[in-house]
DNA sequence: CCTCAATAGTCAGTCTTACTGACCAAATCC
DNA sequence: GGATTTGGTCAGTAAGACTGACTATTGAGG
């Protein structure tokens, strides 16, 4: 490829991080997490999230999201609790085991960010992150 | 998310481009291209490529790549020609119909690059692309 | 209040797109 | 010139996505 589109380079970088994280999580002994489960789990917030919200953000149907949450729940990574604000809905929250995995993932993510900063230098890295953040404004329909 | 990891932002951008391109291709009347077929087709080069190479670059097994090439061939997007340099191998090359789709895709990609340049400014865009290219050195095992 | 459209979620069934394992034929190594 | 590597296919299976139909709750209008 003579001059690859920025999007391809972005994809390559994102895929690299996903692989590094999933390897580390596997190495830490969590071998029952599939990539799809992990991607769904990555959407979790501390205050809980609805299945429908996971689906929107991950761009999958609510049925698919529901299956993934089932799997995560069965493996004790998350719990479903009733949403106090809406009796139709249930909130997906991290269970203790999920919080442990999250810690492992966060640690790898920070390590990669340091590696990238070392490679580009602090200044270029900051500019890079700022550009990504600005581009999100025109590429991310979910804020 | 308070401070999303750069990789998430990269993923969001890459996904946006893939969606824009696939929408345009669909709108141009090519409705028999699945996302997986398109991703495989995106690896094609003018001088032809081997199925095994597609597999390596797309990080899928050669069997999966072979199936996708079959589908692309059946839909007249590509052809398989014997590799003059190796009688075991066959080169996957774009067929006329494939070249038409490629034109549509390239057009959208250029349009998006212009939009991004408008949003960031030419200077920041250039720096952004340079940073992506540099990061590729440490994130892309296939050079 | 009371209907009724919208929303949160599930169930059932299907298709796409991966995977593993076994295998063949040509090329390359020693 | 036999053994190993490489390019690719065939067969079978599983993960993960989709559509469509359905239930229960919410919230808005009359």
């Amino acid at each position: 490829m003579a001059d690859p589109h920025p999007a391809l380079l972005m994809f390559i970088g994102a895929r690299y991080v996903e692989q590094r994280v999933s390897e580390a999580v596997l190495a830490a002994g969590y071998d029952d997490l599939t990539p799809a489960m992990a991607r769904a789990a990555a959407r979790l917030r501390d205050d809980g999230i609805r299945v429908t919200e996971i689906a929107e953000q991950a761009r999958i149907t609510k049925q698919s999201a529901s299956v993934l949450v089932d799997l995560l729940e069965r493996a004790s990574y998350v719990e479903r609790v009733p949403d106090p604000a809406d009796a139709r809905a249930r909130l997906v929250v991290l269970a203790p085991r999920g919080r442990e995995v999250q810690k492992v993932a966060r640690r790898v993510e920070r390590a990669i960010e340091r590696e990238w900063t070392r490679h580009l230098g602090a200044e270029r890295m900051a500019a890079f992150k700022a550009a990504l953040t600005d581009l999100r404004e025109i590429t991310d329909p979910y804020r």
Side-chain angles (χ1 to χ4, degrees), chain A:
Chain A
M1 267 159 278
D3 191 17
H5 196 274
L8 177 58
L9 302 175
M10 290 160 87
F11 173 74
I12 288 170
R15 180 176 60 182
Y16 171 77
V17 174
E18 186 172 317
Q19 264 188 5
R20 281 274 303 268
V21 169
S22 79
E23 277 163 19
V25 166
L26 185 65
Y30 303 94
D31 60 351
D32 54 351
L33 260 177
T34 67
M37 284 162 75
R39 272 191 289 272
R43 311 286 166 176
L44 295 178
R45 286 188 322 245
D46 287 340
D47 58 337
I49 188 169
R50 297 181 184 183
V51 169
T52 309
E53 253 184 294
I54 295 176
E56 279 178 6
Q57 289 182 20
R59 304 269 212 293
I60 57 179
T61 60
K62 55 186 182 170
Q63 292 91 328
S64 301
S66 182
V67 169
L68 295 174
V69 171
D70 278 349
L71 296 172
L72 286 168
E73 191 172 29
R74 218 171 303 156
S76 306
Y77 289 110
V78 305
E79 283 170 30
R80 280 190 237 236
V81 302
D83 185 341
D86 189 334
R88 291 169 304 180
R90 299 159 78 191
L91 293 177
V92 182
V93 298
L94 274 176
R97 185 156 187 244
R99 267 188 294 273
E100 293 167 21
V101 186
Q102 201 183 47
K103 253 184 247 169
V104 174
R106 294 260 194 280
R107 189 152 42 228
V108 178
E109 285 173 1
R110 279 195 302 267
I112 292 174
E113 211 171 327
R114 279 193 300 269
E115 292 167 18
W116 288 7
T117 303
R118 207 176 310 135
H119 191 70
L120 293 181
E123 213 165 304
R124 288 181 73 206
M125 182 69 182
F128 178 64
K129 292 203 295 186
L132 281 170
T133 304
D134 284 358
L135 283 179
R136 185 183 192 179
E137 289 165 15
I138 58 174
T139 57
D140 187 4
Y142 295 92
R143 74 147 1 176

